Amino acid sequence: MKSKPTIDAVLAGKIALVTGGTKGIGKAVVKRLELAGATVIVTARNQPEEPDATYTFIAADLSRAEEVSKVANIIHKQFGRIDIIINNMGANVYPGGGFSTLTDEHWDQALQVNLLSSVRLDRALLPAMLAQKSGVIIHISSTSSQFPIWESTMAYSVAKSALNTYSKALATEVAGKGIRVVTVSPGLNKTEAMTYFLEDYAKQSNISVEEMTQNLFERVGGVPMGRMAEPEETAELIYFLVSPAASYITGANLVIDGGNFPVVK
Ligand SMILES: NC(=O)c1ccc[n+]([C@@H]2O[C@H](COP(=O)([O-])OP(=O)(O)OC[C@H]3O[C@@H](n4cnc5c(N)ncnc54)[C@H](OP(=O)(O)O)[C@@H]3O)[C@@H](O)[C@H]2O)c1
């Protein structure tokens, strides 16, 4: 008797790249894709101590053009194909305080990290997908791309908003060539970056991390579900989007935010 295929084999034989796959949302995505049978390549600036890791790790700072080329060359040489790109790495590491605190260097860095890293990586790897006539590209944006908080996310939100527009344009360009491009906009996720953000702002404001967390919930207009997402919950959406079950989804920007957005869009 034939055994039934299990849902967790759906990505068997697929080669997937997850940028920033060592922490937070990226790490959860790596685990989910591996569970689904994919062969996963991870990039980050620092290699974590994970002796049991089953992914291939490439150390790279993707905010630098030459490092993006290095990653693409290694993938071409070692794997010869690429089926899934999760452009996850990104960061809001610019000073708060609004327009007057943000220098040209901050703006440039925000765009290098949150926009141009993805633009360059896609440009280097898309030819392989076009030759295969298949592939899925995910861009991890943020709800703050549609809801900037001037005190703390101005440059980051602008860069993520540009990423949304780029993602839509690319999706339209390659939709007829077998390649899907989808944006995912997470709301608040319990990750290392979020912990750092809360601790840093709590210290600056001389309040506790709990008070700062409450302030953030209020500042984003409240989260009806009353909590942040676990990175694994966001990873589950990303997994669905790269799976064949999402074969008609392209050019969309999917929000996963516990009901935070108060309007119908
Ligand atoms: N957490 C949230 O609430 C939230 C909400 C909305 C959107 N997002 C978005 O979701 C994505 C992941 O966020 P996260 O909270 O999971 O972040 P995180 O916990 O800080 O993890 C970021 C990952 O990216 C890597 N990274 C950072 N800068 C890099 C660079 N220049 N080059 C290469 N790798 C780099 C980090 O490793 P190294 O430091 O070793 O390089 C790490 O693996 C980001 O795009 C973020 O904007 C997060």
Side-chain angles (χ1 to χ4, degrees):
M1 199 171 77
K2 272 189 183 171
S3 59
K4 282 187 187 169
T6 65
I7 189 166
D8 280 334
V10 296
L11 298 182
K14 301 287 183 197
I15 309 289
L17 168 65
V18 182
T19 70
T22 58
K23 297 179 201 157
I25 295 170
K27 186 174 180 175
V29 172
V30 171
K31 284 196 182 142
R32 189 63 188 90
L33 299 191
E34 285 196 323
L35 189 65
T39 297
V40 181
I41 306 155
V42 169
T43 71
R45 290 166 300 182
N46 309 291
Q47 181 159 19
E49 279 190 30
E50 278 184 60
D52 298 335
T54 43
Y55 54 75
T56 298
F57 180 80
I58 307 173
D61 179 348
L62 298 183
S63 66
R64 299 171 54 194
E66 64 278 16
E67 299 268 296
V68 175
S69 302
K70 180 182 87 180
V71 170
N73 287 339
I74 293 173
I75 291 173
H76 288 316
K77 268 198 196 140
Q78 277 190 24
F79 296 90
R81 64 179 288 126
I82 185 81
D83 301 290
I84 296 165
I85 306 171
I86 314 289
N87 283 292
N88 163 73
M89 154 267 175
N92 178 26
V93 288
Y94 320 101
F99 80 93
S100 60
T101 59
L102 292 166
T103 63
D104 277 1
E105 285 73 33
H106 295 134
W107 280 104
D108 182 55
Q109 197 53 19
L111 292 166
Q112 296 291 343
V113 170
N114 294 294
L115 172 69
L116 293 172
S117 54
S118 298
V119 170
R120 292 181 181 126
L121 195 61
D122 294 348
R123 192 170 57 211
L125 293 175
L126 249 168
M129 285 186 167
L130 288 167
Q132 293 160 204
K133 298 189 173 62
S134 70
V136 188
I137 299 177
I138 305 289
H139 295 118
I140 306 300
S141 182
S142 167
T143 48
S144 77
S145 64
Q146 294 163 74
F147 182 13
I149 301 175
W150 70 261
E151 304 96 308
S152 54
T153 72
M154 190 184 277
Y156 171 74
S157 293
V158 169
K160 289 289 196 184
S161 158
L163 180 68
N164 298 350
T165 308
Y166 157 71
S167 186
K168 179 68 180 172
L170 184 66
T172 311
E173 180 182 353
V174 298
K177 296 173 180 165
I179 295 151
R180 298 188 294 110
V181 182
V182 185
T183 307
V184 172
S185 288
L188 306 176
N189 274 245
K190 259 197 251 168
T191 65
E192 284 87 339
M194 178 57 74
T195 305
Y196 175 79
F197 176 83
L198 290 170
E199 286 175 356
D200 193 41
Y201 273 82
K203 204 167 145 196
Q204 280 179 38
S205 317
N206 214 12
I207 57 175
S208 69
V209 172
E210 290 69 33
E211 285 170 311
M212 186 60 217
T213 307
Q214 208 45 49
N215 285 359
L216 180 63
F217 272 53
E218 285 164 19
R219 189 62 186 82
V220 299
V223 179
M225 287 186 76
R227 63 175 178 86
M228 292 190 194
E230 298 296 334
E232 289 73 20
E233 294 176 299
T234 304
E236 206 60 46
L237 171 63
I238 295 163
Y239 159 67
F240 165 72
L241 289 170
V242 302
S243 77
S247 55
Y248 197 58
I249 300 179
T250 198
N253 180 355
L254 292 145
V255 169
I256 173 163
D257 69 349
N260 168 226
F261 265 135
V263 292
V264 180
K265 288 188 290 147

